[in-house]
């Protein structure tokens, strides 16, 4: 076949040829020329398995390699599978994976692209990895930290950010695979750099933690701090800083719930139930690497955990104190907005259908406004409710008298 990059005639397309003639891999070539992999690959290249020989490395890894490996471990990207350990890559960030291959040489990592026939989709799909022998990574995590100095914190954090951080509405989100690592990182950012992060529950793992910069200013300070290390990694800094078009995405979720409207003059004061349909809208810049404003999976997990799991098959008036008095669509929207905005600062609209003929559209405060003002007074009237106690004999309030008896 003829290589479309160099027009040379080749027996088969391989990464060796393509990387020499164009710097591309077969996977990127297939996308660039919009051709299915099965038309490019020779039969022997598909389902071939990994026939690379990974050498046993000797000697201690250098500081750049140690920091990069620590960042990948924090991000949960080092997967040990028996004799081999691997770091997955995405086709849109192969530059970054190849940069890491170079950075991680001391651990013996090598780039590997595999092509498999996927039965479910009836096509050949490619996956990209760095692989090495598990034994090359040492007994990481088990070695007492005092034996060697900790790897460079900023370099390690930059590697985590380049791979798994998300940028939404000016806030940075950083998932850590282990909560303890995330807490340590947050403490160091606060103590050493004055950058505050809040800790959110990780969306998909109970062991992890999701850090979010507390404010937009904290995110700016973090990006400024990381300017050098992120700038050294291909595509890493542009992900957060390059101007990009904006878009709005929506997710529709349903929950079945009962409610009643206290004091309602008509039949809505009766307990009744139905299927609620919730549309959650998020707006923002399209991430140049993921191609998304926000991952639909993240959006769905966040709304499921923060809203649907609490409300589905419940009586709304009892499921949330904020709705005990009024569980109207409007009140539900104000409350749902407050539940979601910490996780979705790009939240730009909610639509809640109580029936197909009745719905509410709502747009609430930004995360910064919500942080400044707290819960809407609309929702916490009964939480704030305090009446001066009735004065009884001798002007001593019943509560105070009780306390006096207990003390005496
Ligand atoms: Zn070529």
């Amino acid at each position: 076949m003829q290589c479309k990059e160099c027009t040379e005639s080749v027996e088969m397309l391989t990464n060796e040829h393509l990387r020499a003639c164009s710097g591309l891999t077969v996977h990127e070539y297939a996308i660039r020329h919009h051709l299915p992999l099965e038309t490019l690959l020779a039969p022997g290249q598909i389902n071939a398995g990994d026939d690379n020989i990974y050498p046993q490395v000797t000697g201690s890894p250098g500081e750049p390699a140690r920091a990069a490996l620590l960042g990948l471990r924090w991000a949960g990207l080092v997967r040990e599978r028996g004799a081999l350990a691997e770091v997955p890559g995405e086709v849109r960030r192969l530059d970054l994976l190849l940069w890491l291959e170079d950075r991680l040489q001391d651990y013996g990592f090598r780039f590997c692209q595999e092509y498999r026939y996927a039965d479910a989709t009836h096509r050949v799909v490619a996956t990209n990895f760095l692989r090495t022998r598990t034994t090359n990574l040492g007994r990481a995590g088990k070695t007492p930290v005092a034996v060697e100095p900790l790897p460079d914190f900023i370099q390690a954090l930059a590697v985590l950010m380049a791979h798994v951080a998300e940028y939404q509405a000016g806030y940075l989100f950083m998932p850590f695979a282990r909560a303890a690592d995330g807490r340590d990182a947050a403490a160091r950012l606060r103590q050493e750099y004055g950058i505050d992060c809040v800790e959110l529950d990780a969306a998909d793992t109970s062991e992890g933690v999701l850090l979010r910069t507390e404010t937009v200013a904290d995110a700016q300070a973090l990006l400024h701090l990381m300017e050098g290390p992120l700038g050294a990694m291909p595509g890493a800094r542009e992900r957060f800083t390059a101007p990009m078009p904006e878009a709005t995405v929506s997710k529709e979720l349903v929950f079945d719930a009962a409610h009643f409207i206290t004091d309602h003059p008509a039949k809505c004061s009766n307990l009744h139930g139905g299927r609620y349909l919730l549309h959650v809208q998020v707006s923002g810049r399209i991430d140049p690497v993921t191609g998304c404003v926000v991952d639909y999976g993240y959006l769905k997990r966040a709304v499921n955990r923060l809203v649907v799991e609490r409300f589905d098959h419940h009586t709304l008036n009892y499921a949330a104190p904020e709705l005990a008095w009024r569980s109207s669509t409007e009140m539900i929207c104000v409350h749902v907005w407050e539940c979601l905005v910490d996780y979705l600062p790009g939240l730009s609209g909610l639509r809640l259908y109580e029936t197909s003929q009745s719905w509410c559209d709502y747009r609430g405060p930004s995360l910064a406004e919500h942080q400044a003002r707290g819960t809407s007074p609309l929702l916490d009237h009964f939480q704030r409710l305090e009446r001066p106690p009735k004065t009884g004999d001798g002007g001593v309030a019943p509560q105070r008298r009780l306390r006096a008896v207990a003390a005496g």
Side-chain angles (χ1 to χ4, degrees), residues 18 33 68 99 134 142 147 149 151 169 184 206 209 221 229 261 319-320 328 332 356:
L18 280 174
H33 298 288
W99 177 88
T134 304
K142 290 163 192 159
V147 170
D184 287 349
S206 54
V209 71
I261 304 281
S328 59
I332 299 170
S356 56

Side-chain angles (χ1 to χ4, degrees), residues 98-310:
L98 295 172
W99 177 88
L100 266 182
E101 181 190 26
D102 185 53
R103 185 55 64 115
L104 291 172
Q105 266 180 17
D106 295 353
Y107 288 105
F109 275 102
R110 285 195 180 165
F111 174 68
C112 171
Q113 191 168 79
E114 283 186 354
Y115 319 101
R116 290 191 181 281
Y117 185 78
D119 294 331
T121 54
H122 302 289
R123 63 193 191 94
V124 174
V125 294
T127 41
N128 297 281
F129 305 97
L130 297 183
R131 284 211 179 104
T132 188
R133 285 183 190 220
T134 304
T135 48
N136 283 342
L137 302 184
R139 296 174 62 77
K142 290 163 192 159
T143 316
V145 287
V147 170
E148 47 184 359
L150 280 171
D152 187 284
F153 172 69
I154 295 295
Q155 293 291 337
L157 191 62
V159 168
L160 173 133
M161 285 178 67
H163 287 84
V164 294
E166 298 289 339
Y167 195 40
Q168 196 195 123
Y171 295 83
L172 278 164
F173 288 80
M174 295 172 285
F176 282 76
R178 292 189 335 138
D181 294 335
R183 277 175 204 137
D184 287 349
R188 288 193 67 172
L189 282 173
R190 185 171 302 124
Q191 284 156 14
E192 294 172 31
Y193 305 99
I195 294 169
D196 286 321
C197 291
V198 294
E199 203 181 289
L200 304 172
D201 289 334
D204 36 15
T205 146
S206 54
E207 289 126 54
V209 71
L210 180 62
L211 297 186
R212 192 205 70 221
T213 55
E214 187 161 9
T215 64
V216 170
D218 287 313
Q220 287 305 313
L222 184 55
L223 284 177
H224 183 68
L225 178 67
M226 293 292 163
E227 204 171 344
L230 284 178
M233 284 179 253
R237 203 166 146 260
E238 297 79 345
R239 246 198 96 195
F240 307 114
T241 55
M244 287 291 144
E246 301 208 340
T248 297
V249 297
S250 297
K251 190 91 196 164
E252 180 184 289
L253 293 103
V254 294
F255 55 91
D256 297 326
H259 82 141
F260 55 89
I261 304 281
T262 309
D263 306 334
H264 192 272
K267 60 185 180 180
C268 282
S269 61
N270 294 330
L271 180 66
H272 61 284
R275 172 154 290 185
Y276 286 86
L277 196 62
L278 175 66
H279 290 188
V280 180
Q281 215 174 56
V282 176
S283 302
R285 170 182 174 273
I286 301 174
D287 182 313
V289 167
T290 66
C292 301
V293 170
V294 62
D295 177 53
Y296 282 110
Y298 170 81
L299 178 55
K300 185 177 167 182
R301 284 192 297 274
V303 181
N304 264 331
R305 193 156 40 78
L306 298 162
V307 178
V308 175
E309 284 170 18
R310 286 173 55 221

Side-chain angles (χ1 to χ4, degrees), residues 3-8 10 13 17-18 21-22 29:
C3 171
K4 287 176 186 287
E5 292 296 324
C6 66
T7 70
E8 246 177 56
V10 292
L13 269 182
H17 169 82
L18 280 174
C21 90
S22 60
Y29 175 97

